[in-house]
Amino acid sequence: MKAFDTAETSFDSHTHDHRRCVRSALQTAEALCQQHGVRLTALRRRVLELVWTSHCPVGAYDLLEMLSKDQGRVAPPTVYRALEFLLANGLIHRIESRNAFVGCPHPQEAHAGHFLICRVCGAAAELSDPGIEATLDQRAGELGFFVEAKTVELRGLCKGCRARRPDGGEQSA
Amino acid sequence: MKAFDTAETSFDSHTHDHRRCVRSALQTAEALCQQHGVRLTALRRRVLELVWTSHCPVGAYDLLEMLSKDQGRVAPPTVYRALEFLLANGLIHRIESRNAFVGCPHPQEAHAGHFLICRVCGAAAELSDPGIEATLDQRAGELGFFVEAKTVELRGLCKGCRARRPDGGEQSA
DNA sequence: GGCGATAAGTTATACTATAACATTATCACG
DNA sequence: CGTGATAATGTTATAGTATAACTTATCGCC
Ligand SMILES: [Zn+2]
Ligand SMILES: [Zn+2]
Ligand SMILES: [Zn+2]
Ligand SMILES: [Zn+2]
């Protein structure tokens, strides 16, 4: 396993060509589902696309509303079931501290999703780091705890937002 | 800052004298509130005591129900406001992945609450480790991210529960 | 005791998520 | 093709979590 992060693409949502992110995510998803023998139906595909509308975690009821624009009226189970599928297949992650969902940029690789979440722009960048994994596993192991799932969510200010308005920034007092 | 954890006290809830945990937590809270010039009212004290009924995270509506046994009918804002106060003063932590709250065993020391949460017995052990802090801060710092709050929640099996019933335990396959 | 500030009570409502059952689509097989 | 098993979606109702907005009570101080 090697380290990666999506800070660059996630935190400059307004400058990069996000349509490429979406297209890429959908293509990868298609391929992966094919490969795993599961069905990325039109609905699931559409929900994945909607989740990918930005790099900000999006709530289930936001998705519901967006979906309603296409289809007529949509009920909660519709979107929750799609989300469940996408989660199960590693195509999205759930952000616990926000009750929201965000697209996974590298669903091919097995990984726990660790996130940096900016309180100003709202974007979430995923990061994976063998160092973090190892440190957490080791510490848990010392205590006899067997880790099955990890939630790591760091909230604060992204680079861009710190530059734009340095409220509560790093170097203050 | 030094490392600590509460795995022993949290994960053997049925064998240790938990009344001591509660008494100690309440005393520390009294002292701390006095010291900080904030009011640990009867209600807030009671909610803190109820949160401490066990080492398992407890939901707001569970607290509501417990409170109703004392006082008559109680409405949600009552318990949420008490929780808000206790959170603000570091006397409890919120477990994001459970929408629940757990008492903090060392509210004197500034710290991010990191947790091991057993899926069988439900107990949550708090751990603080400079290594974890450092690893997370460093990785975030590399990406220009300024961390203000950390949520770290590891779910799995505690030592005792692994011993009692080794389903999905460590050494399998 | 009067007064400003903080806390608690009250009512209503928003937001998040799932249970349970009906209907429709898909696919393997004959 | 038909047909039945399986998976997916639709539909209705309800459970669970959290806050807004306003009123009343309490506290600390003069
Ligand atoms: Zn993008
Ligand atoms: Zn930002
Ligand atoms: Zn205890
Ligand atoms: Zn356990």
Side-chain angles (χ1 to χ4, degrees):
Chain A
M1 191 204 300
K2 70 186 220 302
F4 63 79
D5 67 75
T6 61
E8 287 302 321
T9 40
S10 298
F11 293 139
D12 73 343
S13 303
H14 298 299
T15 61
H16 80 279
D17 181 6
H18 186 53
R19 286 164 306 179
R20 293 192 59 186
C21 298
V22 179
R23 229 176 308 135
S24 159
L26 290 176
Q27 277 175 14
T28 308
E30 300 271 20
L32 221 55
C33 287
Q34 175 103 27
Q35 192 178 314
H36 289 26
V38 295
R39 291 163 56 196
L40 186 64
T41 62
L43 178 64
R44 292 165 174 174
R45 193 178 189 282
R46 178 64 177 138
V47 170
L48 179 59
E49 187 180 15
L50 290 172
V51 168
W52 268 102
T53 48
S54 76
H55 288 280
C56 299
V58 55
Y61 281 74
D62 296 331
L63 292 168
L64 203 55
E65 195 170 336
M66 296 187 228
L67 259 187
S68 305
K69 302 262 161 76
D70 310 341
Q71 357 249 125
R73 163 183 153 69
V74 179
T78 298
V79 66
Y80 277 103
R81 283 193 287 234
L83 290 170
E84 186 181 26
F85 171 88
L86 297 171
L87 281 171
N89 290 279
L91 299 169
I92 62 174
H93 293 286
R94 180 183 164 85
I95 307 294
E96 298 290 350
S97 57
R98 302 262 228 187
N99 295 330
F101 305 85
V102 70
C104 175
H106 43 269
Q108 318 80 8
E109 317 165 32
H111 65 285
H114 301 163
F115 295 92
L116 302 176
I117 305 159
C118 179
R119 75 164 149 86
V120 173
C121 66
E126 186 166 351
L127 60 89
S128 174
D129 187 317
I132 294 176
E133 295 287 331
T135 306
L136 293 175
D137 285 334
Q138 196 216 318
R139 189 83 177 95
E142 287 167 16
L143 303 172
F145 192 92
F146 175 57
V147 178
E148 293 172 338
K150 302 188 183 76
T151 295
V152 176
E153 297 172 9
L154 311 183
R155 285 171 302 286
L157 287 174
C158 79
K159 194 174 186 173
C161 290
R162 265 168 67 203
R164 277 190 287 279
R165 45 156 144 165
D167 56 331
E170 196 166 14
Q171 62 286 359
S172 71
Chain B
M1 191 205 295
K2 70 186 220 303
F4 64 78
D5 68 74
T6 61
E8 287 302 323
T9 40
S10 297
F11 292 138
D12 73 342
S13 302
H14 297 299
T15 60
H16 81 278
D17 181 5
H18 186 54
R19 286 165 307 178
R20 293 191 60 186
C21 297
V22 180
R23 229 177 307 135
S24 159
L26 290 176
Q27 278 174 14
T28 307
E30 300 271 19
L32 220 54
C33 287
Q34 176 102 28
Q35 190 178 317
H36 288 27
V38 295
R39 291 164 53 196
L40 186 64
T41 62
L43 178 64
R44 291 165 173 174
R45 191 178 189 284
R46 179 65 178 136
V47 170
L48 180 59
E49 187 179 15
L50 290 172
V51 168
W52 269 102
T53 48
S54 76
H55 288 280
C56 298
V58 54
Y61 281 74
D62 296 331
L63 292 168
L64 203 55
E65 195 170 338
M66 297 186 226
L67 260 187
S68 304
K69 303 262 162 75
D70 312 341
Q71 358 249 126
R73 162 182 153 69
V74 179
T78 298
V79 65
Y80 276 103
R81 283 193 286 234
L83 290 170
E84 185 181 26
F85 172 87
L86 298 171
L87 281 171
N89 290 278
L91 300 168
I92 62 174
H93 293 286
R94 180 182 163 85
I95 307 294
E96 298 291 350
S97 57
R98 301 263 230 187
N99 295 331
F101 305 84
V102 70
C104 175
H106 43 269
Q108 317 81 10
E109 317 166 32
H111 65 283
H114 301 165
F115 295 92
L116 302 176
I117 306 159
C118 179
R119 76 165 148 84
V120 173
C121 65
E126 186 166 350
L127 60 89
S128 174
D129 187 318
I132 294 176
E133 295 287 331
T135 306
L136 293 175
D137 285 334
Q138 197 215 317
R139 189 84 177 93
E142 286 168 14
L143 303 172
F145 193 91
F146 174 57
V147 178
E148 293 173 338
K150 301 188 183 76
T151 294
V152 176
E153 298 172 10
L154 310 183
R155 287 171 301 286
L157 286 174
C158 78
K159 193 173 186 173
C161 290
R162 266 170 65 202
R164 277 189 287 279
R165 43 156 144 168
D167 56 331
E170 196 166 15
Q171 61 285 0
S172 71

